[in-house]
Amino acid sequence: MQIKNYILKNKFFSIFFIIFLITILIIYSLNNDDYFILSENNNPFFIIPENKEGITIINQDKKSLHLSYENTSNINILNDLNILYSIQLTTNSDYFYIKEKMNELINSKDSIFDSKDLYISAFISNSSTEYFLLYKNFESRNIAQDFCEKYTYFVDKCLIVNVQNLQ
C-alpha cells in the first residue's frame, strides 16, 4: 500500500511540474518581444564645470564641437578633375601646413619627388575643410595599391584616395 501511495504522489507531482513548465513556456513565448523601447533622455549627457580646478579639459579645440566656429580662410582649392586615384601622404585641416609639407618634399636635398606628381585636394564638410597631400595619379585603385606596396617606402600605410569622391 505504501509503494502505491508513493507512486501516486510522484505521478501527481510529476504531472503538476510538467503542466507548470508548459504554462511558463507559453507565457514566456507570448510575452517575448524582439525589441524594447528606451525612454527619451532630456537630461544633459555631460557638463563642463565652471570651476575646472586647474584641470585642462581635452578635445575642446574640435571644430565640430564648437557651433560658433567660423572658417575665416579664403583658400580656394579646386580638386583636379583629371586625378582619379592617388596615394595619400598626409592630411590636415591647415592648408599652409600641407603646402609647407609639399615644399619640403620637393625641395629637400635628396628629394625623390617631382612637383608635377604632388597634388593638394580638399574635402569640404559642414564642420571643416580637410586638405590632402596626394602623390601621383593612377587609373584605378588596384594600380595605385600595387605601386604603393612596391615603391612607396616613405609611407607607413598605403592609403588610396578616390579623388573624384572628394567633390
Side-chain angles (χ1 to χ4, degrees):
M1 198 62 151
Q2 219 174 22
I3 296 176
K4 198 173 192 181
N5 286 338
Y6 180 75
I7 293 174
L8 284 175
K9 281 184 184 179
N10 277 344
K11 281 185 181 179
F12 175 73
F13 284 122
S14 297
I15 292 173
F16 177 74
F17 184 72
I18 291 172
I19 292 173
F20 180 73
L21 279 178
I22 291 173
T23 305
I24 294 219
L25 288 174
I26 290 172
I27 290 172
Y28 177 75
S29 67
L30 291 176
N31 290 333
N32 187 14
D33 293 331
D34 290 338
Y35 63 92
F36 57 94
I37 299 173
L38 295 175
S39 59
E40 182 178 350
N41 181 12
N42 294 325
N43 299 327
F45 289 103
F46 62 90
I47 60 168
I48 298 176
E50 294 294 323
N51 181 7
K52 300 175 192 167
E53 298 179 5
I55 298 172
T56 303
I57 307 294
I58 60 172
N59 293 330
Q60 283 192 330
D61 62 338
K62 302 297 181 196
K63 296 174 193 107
S64 63
L65 298 177
H66 296 287
L67 297 177
S68 62
Y69 173 77
E70 290 183 19
N71 188 358
T72 57
S73 114
N74 291 327
I75 300 165
N76 188 13
I77 295 281
L78 294 175
N79 293 336
D80 189 348
L81 297 176
N82 296 324
I83 303 174
L84 300 175
Y85 294 92
S86 190
I87 298 168
Q88 174 184 315
L89 298 180
T90 187
T91 65
N92 199 304
S93 59
D94 182 7
Y95 171 77
F96 297 107
Y97 173 82
I98 295 296
K99 187 72 172 161
E100 182 180 320
K101 278 292 192 189
M102 182 176 170
N103 289 333
E104 285 175 13
L105 291 174
I106 294 169
N107 298 325
S108 69
K109 183 178 178 183
D110 299 324
S111 179
I112 62 168
F113 297 98
D114 190 4
S115 60
K116 65 179 168 79
D117 289 336
L118 294 175
Y119 307 97
I120 297 178
S121 288
F123 176 70
I124 302 169
S125 67
N126 291 339
S127 60
S128 69
T129 300
E130 194 72 19
Y131 299 99
F132 290 75
L133 180 57
L134 303 171
Y135 178 59
K136 291 200 175 275
N137 182 17
F138 299 95
E139 293 291 321
S140 73
R141 179 177 299 279
N142 292 337
I143 295 171
Q145 188 71 37
D146 289 342
F147 182 89
C148 189
E149 290 170 358
K150 290 178 184 175
Y151 303 112
T152 55
Y153 59 87
F154 46 86
V155 292
D156 295 331
K157 186 176 182 181
C158 290
L159 294 174
I160 309 302
V161 177
N162 183 347
V163 181
Q164 301 298 311
N165 287 344
L166 294 179
Q167 310 299 338

